[in-house]
């Protein structure tokens, strides 16, 4: 639902009432002061009609405003539902693409190995694939259970914080990315910013795994005055690596999420590799 569909309060009651009052005033002026009895009768009639017109305008305007407020409430509720659907779709995309991306990349890397170490590496890859698949399946089931039964007492994970970054780095390493994390002295960081930092690092490393394969990636999180700076840089793919591009919605979702916090996100190729840089305002 677009903002242009927002209900608008329109009422012609007062223009009509003012026109009627003007007409009654003309009648009152045309009667004059004689004869006295007729003048009094006309005056009483005109005043009574004017009072009735004003009362009608007030009651009509009140009913119209009540209807407008009901329509506005319904419109706002529908917009909230659509926004929640988009958020859920992005979360489902993140869960599915991250898990399936790890599975695809790990399988592709193991398939190309030869020599004595190939069999052992393929066994390790199958173990990693099973682990990543189970995790993605568990998260998807948990989210779908919440969607089916929003009032149930379903066990949920707490929101991610900066303390979850080492776990995200560890999961990226299972796909072959040699990820390293450096977190500076960021001080106190708001919960929404911490959650977004985790989403940025996860998506950037998933893209590295898909596009560059088993390469090195450096993740840095630090504070610059009232801004949290997140940088994810990789060394690019090796000569034999075949990229596995995703649907392209990951970075778009990140930009929307970062923009909601009045931040910026820049992503693009550099001399060797790829870099994602995000800046999130966060006043102490």
């Amino acid at each position: 639902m677009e903002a242009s569909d927002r209900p608008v309060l329109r009422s012609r009651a007062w223009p009509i009432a003012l026109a009627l009052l003007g007409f009654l005033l003309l009648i009152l002026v045309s009667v004059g002061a004689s004869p006295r009895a007729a003048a009094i009768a006309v005056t009483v009639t005109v005043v009574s009609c004017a009072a009735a017109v004003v009362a009608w305008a007030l009651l009509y305007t009140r009913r119209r405003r009540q209807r407008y407020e009901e329509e506005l409430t319904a419109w706002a509720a529908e917009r909230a539902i659509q926004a929640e659907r988009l958020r859920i779709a992005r979360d489902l995309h993140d869960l599915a693409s991250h898990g399936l991306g790890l599975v695809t990349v790990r399988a592709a890397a193991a398939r190309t190995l030869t020599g004595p170490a190939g069999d052992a590496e393929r066994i390790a890859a199958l173990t990693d694939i099973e682990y990543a698949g189970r995790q993605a399946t568990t998260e998807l089931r948990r989210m779908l259970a919440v969607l089916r039964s929003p009032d149930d007492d379903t066990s949920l994970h707490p929101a991610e914080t900066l303390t979850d970054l080492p776990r995200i780095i560890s999961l990226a390493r299972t796909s072959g990315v040699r990820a390293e994390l450096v977190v500076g002295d960021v001080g106190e960081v708001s919960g929404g910013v911490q959650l977004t930092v985790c989403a940025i690092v996860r998506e950037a490393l998933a893209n590295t795994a898909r596009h560059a394969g088993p390469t090195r990636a450096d993740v840095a999180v630090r504070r610059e005055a009232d801004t949290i700076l997140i940088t994810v840089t990789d060394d690019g793919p090796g000569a034999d690596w075949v990229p596995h591009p995703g649907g392209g919605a990951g970075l778009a979702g990140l930009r929307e999420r970062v923009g909601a916090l009045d931040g910026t996100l820049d992503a693009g190729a550099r001399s060797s590799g790829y870099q994602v840089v995000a800046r999130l305002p966060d006043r102490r």
Side-chain angles (χ1 to χ4, degrees):
M1 184 179 293
E2 301 294 333
S4 58
D5 297 331
R6 179 189 175 101
V8 178
L9 179 60
R10 294 189 180 94
S11 176
R12 298 180 179 178
W14 283 110
I16 294 174
L18 289 174
L20 290 174
L21 290 174
F23 177 72
L24 292 173
L25 181 61
L26 287 175
I27 294 176
L28 186 60
V29 171
S30 64
V31 170
S34 63
R36 182 178 177 80
I40 292 175
V42 171
T43 301
V44 170
T45 302
V46 168
V47 171
S48 299
C49 290
V53 168
V54 172
W56 168 81
L58 289 172
L59 290 175
Y60 181 86
T61 302
R62 182 178 180 182
R63 287 196 298 268
R64 185 66 190 90
R65 176 165 286 279
Q66 289 176 343
R67 190 179 308 120
Y68 164 73
E69 291 176 352
E70 291 172 358
E71 293 173 354
L72 185 62
T73 300
W75 177 83
E78 182 64 23
R79 279 181 63 87
I81 290 172
Q82 291 190 6
E84 183 65 11
R85 286 173 179 167
L86 288 175
R87 186 193 66 79
I88 291 171
R90 285 195 299 267
D91 289 344
L92 286 172
H93 165 269
D94 290 344
L95 288 172
S97 66
H98 181 65
L100 293 176
L102 287 176
V103 169
T104 302
V105 170
R106 198 71 177 93
R111 182 175 55 83
T112 59
L113 291 175
T114 58
D119 291 338
E121 180 59 27
R122 276 187 282 274
I123 293 174
L126 288 174
T127 303
D128 293 338
I129 289 170
E130 180 185 9
Y131 175 73
R134 286 183 184 277
Q135 273 210 323
T137 301
T138 300
E139 293 296 334
L140 288 172
R141 283 177 177 171
R142 181 180 287 109
M143 178 167 287
L144 292 175
V146 173
L147 293 177
R148 284 196 301 268
S149 306
D151 297 327
D152 290 349
D153 184 18
T154 309
S155 175
L156 296 173
H157 282 312
E160 288 183 318
T161 66
L162 297 183
T163 58
D164 291 294
L165 287 177
R167 178 179 57 83
I168 296 172
I169 295 296
S170 178
L171 286 174
R173 287 171 179 162
T174 63
S175 66
V177 178
R178 301 187 300 279
E180 298 295 334
L181 171 67
V182 176
V183 179
D185 182 12
V186 294
E188 250 185 72
V189 181
S190 63
V193 171
Q194 294 191 55
L195 186 62
T196 304
V197 169
C198 292
I200 292 169
V201 172
R202 180 186 294 106
E203 181 64 27
L205 290 177
N207 285 340
T208 295
R210 284 193 291 264
H211 292 276
T215 188
R216 178 182 173 84
D218 294 311
V219 180
V221 179
R222 68 178 187 273
R223 177 181 287 277
E224 291 184 351
D226 290 336
T227 300
I228 300 298
L229 177 64
I230 307 99
T231 305
V232 183
T233 306
D234 66 54
D235 291 343
D240 299 328
W241 178 253
V242 178
H244 300 78
L251 282 178
L254 279 185
R255 284 195 173 92
E256 184 176 348
R257 178 177 261 179
V258 169
L261 296 176
D262 294 327
T264 61
L265 186 141
D266 299 308
R270 54 183 195 132
S271 57
S272 60
Y274 198 84
Q275 186 176 62
V276 175
V277 179
R279 292 174 174 84
L280 302 175
D282 187 72
R283 291 182 176 84
R284 296 180 189 242

